[in-house]
Amino acid sequence: FSSTAPNSPHGAINWAVANLGPRGVVNLSLGEPSYRSHLATAVAAAWNAGHVLVASAGNLGGMSQTPGLQYPAGYDNVLGVSG
């Protein structure tokens, strides 16, 4: 993103929708265990605008994180990836 992109996941998604044109790919290399309605709204808007969204499904990698559903990968219309 450019230096003018917002510094929040939902703001960055909204920036992508406004600036990438139709059918862009939005990569979200992040994850958290909490559902956030403003992030879900941004994800839905991006999907409805024709974008493909990809997000981290969680990579425990031997760390002491609690496994479980991660967002934004846990929202409808987001492809969750893990490695």
Side-chain angles (χ1 to χ4, degrees):
F1 297 115
S2 76
S3 60
T4 59
N7 243 358
S8 66
H10 66 280
I13 293 169
N14 291 333
W15 182 92
V17 170
N19 291 280
L20 291 181
R23 295 179 291 277
V25 176
V26 179
N27 177 42
L28 303 160
S29 297
L30 55 97
E32 67 173 351
S34 301
Y35 178 96
R36 309 261 186 223
S37 62
H38 56 276
L39 186 53
T41 299
V43 163
W47 175 260
N48 290 335
H51 296 279
V52 173
L53 295 100
V54 181
S56 170
N59 296 316
L60 296 179
M63 298 169 55
S64 61
Q65 299 174 356
T66 303
L69 189 59
Q70 294 288 303
Y71 295 94
Y75 297 119
D76 290 342
N77 304 321
V78 177
L79 175 63
V81 296
S82 180

